[in-house]
Amino acid sequence: MSDEIDAKYEVFRDLLETRTPEEAVKSLEVLGLQDEVIQRIIERHEQRVIEIREMDEPRVVYKDNRYTWYTGPRAGDKCWPAIVEQLVASGWKQDPAIDSLDAASTRVVSLLSHPKERAFSTRGLVVGYVQSGKTTNFTAVMAKAADRGYKLFIVLAGIHNGLRRQTQARLVQQLIEPNPTRWAQLTDMDKDFVPTANAASYFGKSNRTHVLCVVKKNATVLRKFADWLRSASEYLGDCPALVIDDEADQATVATKTINPLIKDVLGILPKSAYVGYTASPFANLLIDPSSGDLYPSDFIVNLPKPVGHFGTEVVFGRYALDGEDPENVDDGYDMIRTVPKSDIECVRPLKRVDVEMFEPELTPTLSAAVEYFWLSTAARRVRGTGVKHSTMLIHTSVNTVVHNRFRKPLEDLRHDVRAGLPSADVQRRLRSFWDSESSKVSASEFGERAISFDELLVELPGVIDECKIIMDNSSSEDRLDYESGPVVAIAVGGNTLSRGLTLEGLSVSYFVRAVSAYDTLLQMGRWFGYRDGYADLPRIWMTDELRGWFRHLSTVETEMRRDIDLYMTEDKDPLTFAVRVRTHPALRVTAAAKMKDAVRALSAYGGQRVQTRYFRRDKEWLEVNQNAAKNLVAQAKISGTHEPDAKRGRHVFRAVPSEHVIDFLRAYQFHENSQECDSDLLIRYIERRRKEAGSLATWNVALVGNPVDSELGNFEFAPDVQVGRIVRARLGSDDEGTDEAGENAVADIKTLMSRRDAAVDLSGETGKFNELRIKQERLRQLPNTGLVVLYPIDSVSKPAAGRTQRKALNAEADVIGVGLVFPQPGIDSPIEWNYVSADLSGIDIEEENFEALNAEEPG
């Protein structure tokens, strides 16, 4: 019976090639199969469907009425096996790389509509990581969709020719060359879409070939393509089409020309599946789902982070999310080097009127970046592993005039260093530089061998001699060509290098262009991706401001992905969930036009731990906070129950009325960067909980420091109430250009509270409690009581030896840190977060240049 079921199940799968699952079952009945056999076949199919739907990865949110028809590749498939063969030949391992790609692409295809449905219009979004293999994923999806009967494949490949060419080349290599008789191309490497005669000939029933079209998001091109498709409209009824929007957040959402044209193309196709791919989905997830626009109403897929991917957290670290132990969240590796603000005017014009007369200077930081690029490339050659290409990116401006004027200074530097290389003084300087840099990131942590200066010196002359200076922009004929052998290149560019395009072997970036939105900033991080063989060597030169933005963005990205995963477990679908995107005072989430459908998010503090991590360092501001803390402690002494433990550096005041806590929150000055520490929101939440549930009427106030009379001395909150000062060094690197305090100097300490501090007022062996246990015990012991923790931070706060990512705080007065711990209520009282508009008046911004969208195209 088992063999019979196996055979009949394969017949059922054959029927699925040309029928929907319901139609395939009816065909089994027509064939005369017994009801018991049909039921066994259905059960086997449903078991496979459940396996697909319950995959651990990738995480998916989908509309609950979508049925799963695709259950994976089959014997006899042509396109997917060809991709696997190529990947194996290029060094991919079956486990985990190919297996992971197989699973992820199968899940995406399973969410598409069956190609034999009479009509469909699917909308989906796939969220990946920058430079993480999204192209490989959608190529696999296209291959599997082709194997199951999709006919027309349209890839919207960014707004520049470079990305379009690169995408076309990849798809030709992986889809068309292995099966040339099964594919027809409407575009090629050299030209975008140009209308051909007799469009209907591509789509007639007698034509069984798949059709590939890789186009830019350009108004002229898309208009021609839509008109060409419309001319064959009577033949498109049986033409299932898959539209892949690469970089789906760019130019697709809320644009006056491209957005309507994409919708026009989709409207011409009776059977269309639109799937956006992006690593920065902020704009896509802020579309109004009811607007009929390109909101991913059918599914959202959150691709897992690939093994070995070099992402934002590795470089910049991030802040702890709610429920995480801050001590377990890394600072990131010491790979960032500071470009002082004084250098900016030397590498890009500060005003547009200065562009034509601007002549760049090679500042010490830019010269150091270039020299490190040559040194690290020589070290990679000594290792002899990983990708053979080596690239440096210089990105200071979108202006092509600025790019082109970097050529001579860079060529002069290359000549001078090469000519001076035999000099003992030059070698001594480069040796010291290399020894310093290679000591800051351990090669062994990445499984690599440390390379000495003497070893790399052998390769260094050849590296410098071979290094090309490439101006890769719309006005230059220079292009990065990785097809003709190993490349060593310094690429100076703007928009053409900032999105989608893969910079092979990128190891050094000099990046000082300020932008105004999360998505633009994230996409410009070309240093993310795979760094096989040199993961210890990448370095980035940027301003401290940009560094702080990227750290914030790393946190935003992690939180957004966690929201998607969370909604998946809560049986939400894309129309009933809303990913929260935390704001930043100097950055928009995305372009203003794309924010038109965004609303203020509801948030509640129940069960959360809120803490200050940003501070100003000027005396006047800090003393206001000292006075606020002292006043709170004075009131707590009068109204609460005092439990001193000076030997451990602890004081707890219990049952302090909430009025005193609210007065403290009104007086204490939270830094504007601490979005979750908003006095108004905190006060409104406390008052609402107190009014609606009788909760938070009393608070415990704790003082946490070192034991009295410790090395750093004591801080007195009130007479006979003092603890020893603590150290909280700020984030920063040894080579930071300034150490000044004052009104505009922001200190980011990253983490204030430890896990045990959140349990300072609980009884039991609190030192052994994890985050979950602390919440449970607070719910059991103090279900309606909040906790305020005050920390006296030493004004100097020198970092411990070896903490290269930290710098002395050097404030003008002692800093008062504040932590608030809220009990978890049964039903919480959400409040509306204030909308934070970006104040960009003090920031020199260069927005993305979208002239390419409307540029005239030949043909």
Side-chain angles (χ1 to χ4, degrees), residues 649 705-717 722-727 792-795 814:
N706 281 317
V708 171
D709 297 331
S710 297
E711 181 182 351
L712 296 174
N714 304 326
F715 184 92
E716 186 174 78
F717 284 93
Q722 57 186 349
V723 294
R725 295 179 178 88
I726 63 172
V727 170
I793 301 172
D794 178 60
S795 61
D814 290 337

Side-chain angles (χ1 to χ4, degrees), residues 87 91-104 304-308:
L87 293 176
W92 280 49
K93 298 287 192 298
Q94 186 69 38
D95 181 18
I98 294 178
D99 288 345
S100 176
L101 175 64
D102 187 13
K305 185 175 181 178
V307 176

Side-chain angles (χ1 to χ4, degrees), residues 176-253:
I176 296 178
E177 289 179 355
N179 293 287
T181 61
R182 294 177 174 270
W183 289 87
Q185 296 184 69
L186 297 177
T187 54
D188 60 31
M189 284 283 291
D190 298 322
K191 67 177 187 296
D192 207 326
F193 175 77
V194 175
T196 61
N198 193 13
S201 65
Y202 287 90
F203 306 114
K205 288 192 175 181
S206 60
N207 190 335
R208 303 287 298 275
T209 58
H210 306 295
V211 181
L212 174 66
C213 185
V214 183
V215 296
K216 293 192 305 298
K217 296 180 196 177
N218 172 276
T220 303
V221 171
L222 289 176
R223 210 170 278 119
K224 289 177 183 176
F225 183 62
D227 291 342
W228 183 82
L229 271 181
R230 201 173 278 111
S231 72
S233 57
E234 64 182 286
Y235 295 91
L236 297 176
D238 195 32
C239 176
L242 175 58
V243 179
I244 299 291
D245 189 348
D246 192 11
E247 308 296 342
D249 63 299
Q250 185 189 36
T252 295
V253 181

Side-chain angles (χ1 to χ4, degrees), residues 258-332:
I258 303 304
N259 178 271
L261 284 169
I262 292 174
K263 289 189 287 186
D264 185 27
V265 168
L266 294 171
I268 296 167
L269 298 165
K271 298 182 178 185
S272 68
Y274 168 89
V275 183
Y277 274 74
T278 182
S280 47
F282 309 110
N284 308 82
L285 296 177
L286 293 176
I287 298 171
D288 179 1
S290 65
S291 66
D293 209 323
L294 298 175
Y295 183 82
S297 55
D298 291 299
F299 64 86
I300 298 171
V301 177
N302 192 19
L303 293 178
K305 185 175 181 178
V307 176
H309 183 261
F310 195 91
T312 49
E313 286 185 53
V314 174
V315 183
F316 299 98
R318 64 172 174 83
Y319 302 109
L321 305 182
D322 181 45
E324 289 185 322
D325 185 347
E327 295 177 357
N328 295 332
V329 179
D330 204 342
D331 280 350

Side-chain angles (χ1 to χ4, degrees), residues 819-840:
L820 297 107
V821 182
F822 292 88
Q824 178 68 61
I827 300 176
D828 213 347
S829 304
I831 53 174
E832 196 174 63
W833 282 77
N834 286 339
Y835 178 75
V836 182
S837 60
D839 178 10
L840 305 177

